[in-house]
Amino acid sequence: MQLLFHPFDLRLKHTFTIAHDSRNVQPTLIVELRDDEGFSGLGEATSNKYYGITLDSMQAALNHVRPLVEAYQWGSPEVLWGLVFPHLKDNPFALCALDEAAHDLFAQKQGKKLYEHWGLIIDQNPVTDYTIGIDTPEKMVEKLQEMPWPLYKIKLGTADDLSIIRLLRQHTDAVFRVDANCAWTAEQTLAYAPELKALGVEFIEQPLPAHAREDMRRVFAESVLPIIADESCIVENDVEACVGLFHGVNIKLTKCGGLTPARRMIARAKSLGMKTMVGCMNESSVGISAIAHVLPLLDYVDMDGTLLIANDPATGVTFDYGQVRYANRTGTGARLIS
């Protein structure tokens, strides 16, 4: 088994701004597992300033487990995940890239698409939203009009959040979701929610900082819109901690450590009566294609990363007005262009 790294700088079509970050380029690391039979699996994780993750730190972490990975007598991805987790638990982004590659490779060796290997049916997959990052109101309208879509995620956290939603509503009948990325208070959230609901907003994602648990409990009890956790739901133990604070959880593969723990988190959230969502981190077609295979397990999905970048280094799943179309290949379907 060979462990290979492919770093890329993904150029964003527009400056991507959320409440705590702004960027034009998204560095990403594509990890490849290549066996001696000619099979090759791909996984991906982006760098992230908010969580202190760099391409160098991911490669260093993966080089640390290289002897374990390359000497591994191939079994299930879940077994490999358990083997390397003690060494990669402090760098879940690196763990995610490795785990996605292992799942891709394993399903290819079974001659199946990954969702087929898991026994999942794709005819009721949720539609992905398309993200409109924070910008001037006029520019946000331009972004919306540039990409006609049935469902938009609107990034908020400005002094004019309601005005932005009112303006965007004038230009589309699409369903809205709003994501404040921890920028609001409980009072703001409860004051905004009734008008947001009247403006066709489906839910609010992570309005308060993750540490504001008592305020979040109040918002959960009083909000007229469902509240979905993001920054409050990072790893597996966080799912149960979100009960009574959120109506659902947004699970990021990069933050939890890959498909292996994400599937457990989805199952746990469902058992606790919460809605399930998976989100992306502006990945290329490698990471987005991995997300596509858990769609049958989800209520909502945010997997528009490839739609936001101008130089995708890979091919994989595509989109038809929000609906995922799987590549006609085994595994996750992702392949590097060069």
Side-chain angles (χ1 to χ4, degrees):
M1 186 75 65
Q2 288 181 279
L3 173 63
L4 306 170
F5 303 146
H6 305 280
F8 292 96
D9 281 336
L10 304 178
R11 297 192 309 272
L12 299 174
K13 293 178 180 177
H14 298 285
T15 300
F16 189 78
T17 300
I18 61 177
H20 54 67
D21 187 28
S22 184
R23 58 191 179 274
N24 292 298
V25 174
Q26 175 60 71
T28 196
L29 180 66
I30 293 174
V31 168
E32 180 181 2
L33 286 175
R34 187 184 299 170
D35 73 5
D36 56 9
E37 297 176 33
F39 290 99
S40 176
L42 299 175
E44 181 179 13
T46 58
S47 67
N48 191 286
K49 288 192 296 183
Y50 187 78
Y51 292 101
I53 301 295
T54 66
L55 298 196
D56 286 345
S57 71
M58 285 191 281
Q59 290 179 83
L62 290 167
N63 277 326
H64 181 67
V65 298
R66 181 182 293 277
L68 285 173
V69 174
E70 295 192 336
Y72 182 55
Q73 297 301 307
W74 193 253
S76 76
E78 292 81 7
V79 171
L80 179 60
W81 191 93
L83 182 68
V84 300
F85 173 74
H87 307 281
L88 295 179
K89 61 184 179 181
D90 293 329
N91 197 321
F93 286 60
L95 180 57
C96 168
L98 180 63
D99 184 63
E100 288 178 0
H103 278 281
D104 182 22
L105 179 59
F106 189 74
Q108 287 181 47
K109 291 169 75 72
Q110 311 308 307
K112 296 180 178 180
K113 293 181 173 68
L114 183 54
Y115 71 80
E116 293 173 335
H117 166 64
W118 287 335
L120 301 177
I121 307 299
I122 62 172
D123 58 355
Q124 297 296 317
N125 280 357
V127 170
T128 185
D129 56 40
Y130 179 80
T131 303
I132 307 295
I134 294 173
D135 212 316
T136 66
E138 295 75 20
K139 188 65 176 178
M140 293 176 77
V141 169
E142 287 180 19
K143 292 177 184 178
L144 183 148
Q145 293 176 326
E146 180 183 287
M147 182 66 76
W149 212 250
L151 179 61
Y152 294 100
K153 175 189 275 194
I154 314 300
K155 293 288 190 177
L156 297 178
T158 76
D160 301 302
D161 285 341
L162 286 181
S163 296
I164 288 170
I165 298 299
R166 293 186 197 113
L167 177 63
L168 294 178
R169 177 49 71 209
Q170 295 175 23
H171 297 273
T172 181
D173 293 327
V175 174
F176 289 164
R177 297 165 177 171
V178 300
D179 184 1
N181 286 111
C182 308
W184 293 348
T185 64
E187 289 71 23
Q188 283 177 298
T189 306
L190 292 172
Y192 292 168
E195 183 165 358
L196 291 174
K197 182 177 182 180
L199 288 166
V201 171
E202 184 178 25
F203 61 70
I204 300 170
E205 187 176 338
Q206 195 71 42
L208 276 60
H211 61 78
R213 292 181 58 82
E214 289 310 309
D215 283 345
M216 198 63 250
R217 195 178 308 278
R218 176 187 165 204
V219 168
F220 172 80
E222 299 179 21
S223 174
V224 299
L225 281 175
I227 309 295
I228 307 297
D230 182 355
E231 285 86 350
S232 290
C233 189
I234 307 298
V235 297
E236 293 183 63
N237 289 342
D238 293 334
V239 174
E240 194 152 354
C242 286
V243 174
L245 304 180
F246 297 92
H247 301 88
V249 292
N250 182 6
I251 298 161
K252 303 286 181 65
L253 303 188
T254 50
K255 293 194 287 189
C256 73
L259 290 162
T260 294
R263 292 174 68 211
R264 295 194 294 255
M265 291 171 75
I266 292 165
R268 184 58 177 152
K270 286 180 176 292
S271 74
L272 293 168
M274 289 191 287
K275 295 291 187 180
T276 57
M277 178 178 180
V278 163
C280 67
M281 304 286 275
N282 290 346
E283 296 99 325
S284 76
S285 283
V286 173
I288 298 302
S289 294
I291 292 172
H293 292 267
V294 296
L295 284 180
L297 304 174
L298 304 178
D299 298 294
Y300 317 118
V301 70
D302 171 32
M303 53 181 297
D304 61 346
T306 55
L307 302 174
L308 302 175
I309 60 176
N311 61 329
D312 194 342
T315 61
V317 299
T318 56
F319 299 94
D320 180 6
Y321 200 55
Q323 187 69 50
V324 166
R325 300 291 181 237
Y326 292 86
N328 189 25
R329 294 191 287 260
T330 56
T332 66
R335 299 289 186 274
L336 286 175
I337 293 171
S338 62

